[in-house]
Amino acid sequence: MFPRPGQPIVARVIAPFLDRLWSGPGWAAAPATATALGPEVWRRQRPETCRKLATLAVKTLAKSIHAIPAALIAQPLPAPTTLLAGALVERRTHDLLARHLSTVREESDRRAWTIARYLEVTGFGARALLDVLSAIESAPPESHQAGAAPMVSLAQAISRIRRMRRRHRSDQLRLVPSSAAGAHDDATLIERAVAAVLPRLPLSEAAARARLLDDGLDIDDQTLADLLAAAVSLRGQPPFRILELGGAVVAVRGGDMAVAASAYAIAARAVYNWGLTTITEITRQVSTATKAPVTADLVAKVLAATRGYQSVSDPGETAGERWFWFQGRPNRALDGATKIFSVADTVPLARLRRALFKGHLERALPPLAAVAALCLSLPGTEVRDGAVSVARRFDQSILLSESERALADVLGDRGPTAVRDLRALPALAGLPAGTLDRLIRTSPLLESLPGGRCCLVGAPLDGADEGSGGAPL
């Protein structure tokens, strides 16, 4: 089916014409121009995105296929007989051309085959044209770059082995392929795919697909689970295992399953509780939990393969020292940041870190760069001149409790205030003493200052207070 992974969505010969045509909201939302929709797009985008881009290209070309310039429409192309013998086109295109060849005597029409002549074939339209041009550009050996492997269909090999598995018992299947035409090649393709993936485990499914495409293997709509099932049918033993970690499919070595599952579970809990953590800390906890030697490199690869993984790395930093979090998962530090930016527009980064990580030892605080990256994941935030700011404050009515809103209202009009005076304010008289003490001690909305004082986060401070925030109350 068009588009085929590893092949161009829009061939180079017609890409400039599409670039001139493409307009409207669909084009504005596309990640690239038509000129950039060559075979490399499959490495940058998910398969679903590539298929949407192909649909957009077909619709755009269909609207203006009658306006193809004369120089382009006269572009010479291989004859259908040559095309069908040596290029991979989808079944509908194949049937259109084969039907045309069966009804037209080629020797009676000796015109050269061009885009214009192909468009004369009944039923041959925009999709078929893009399909043919993509197949021609990808046909080996002329159109391939030197040293690149021509794309072969791993997906078809997996499908054929699946059909054989349905007809034979699993323990007999390994004896069957040699008796079926082409089955030996299927087994070779499966082994080649396993050899491409295995040394690089752990890998996410998207990374595994990209690796197979780099090796010239088109897995199309088959999954890693399908590849694993085919390999088990031929080998008898699974060459790797598949885990679902946080909604992502991750392939790991069989001996790493317990470590991978523990690493993600511990990391998800740590990120929820602390907001940010390091690979080294997760490695230490995983080693304790599994009572097995665990390397920081393995933990880093497992977590990087999961959905939403975000890391902050500095030059010269090892994998173990890297701070990370998970985008789109519960995170108390991010929750605290949204509260802070419901009462403040701009907060210096150092003060924001102290507010978000109250109670942490100074040596355990994440670096300012990591805190800045975490806050930038919130909508409308930016970091400038050592401070984080928001274009528009978040909604207090959603984010703050009644007690927190009462504190914010009182302290919003006051500077640094002694805690004993705060407890005596009439506006806070309705708050239970225990609730007020807990908020003063734990809420990110309040900064602790020397002398038993506190203030609303981001409030102006004098020089002495500016450098001494974070003192325990």
Side-chain angles (χ1 to χ4, degrees), residues 156-157 159-161 163-164 167-168 175-189:
Q156 293 179 8
S159 296
R160 284 191 290 265
I161 291 174
R163 289 195 296 270
M164 276 191 275
R167 294 197 299 267
H168 301 272
L175 304 177
V176 174
S178 60
S179 65
H184 175 72
D185 293 336
D186 291 345
T188 302
L189 283 179

Side-chain angles (χ1 to χ4, degrees), residues 288-314:
T288 301
T290 60
K291 295 181 172 56
V294 181
T295 65
D297 185 60
L298 174 61
V299 172
K301 286 183 176 180
V302 168
L303 297 180
T306 59
R307 184 172 297 173
Y309 174 81
Q310 303 287 330
S311 69
V312 180
S313 56
D314 295 325

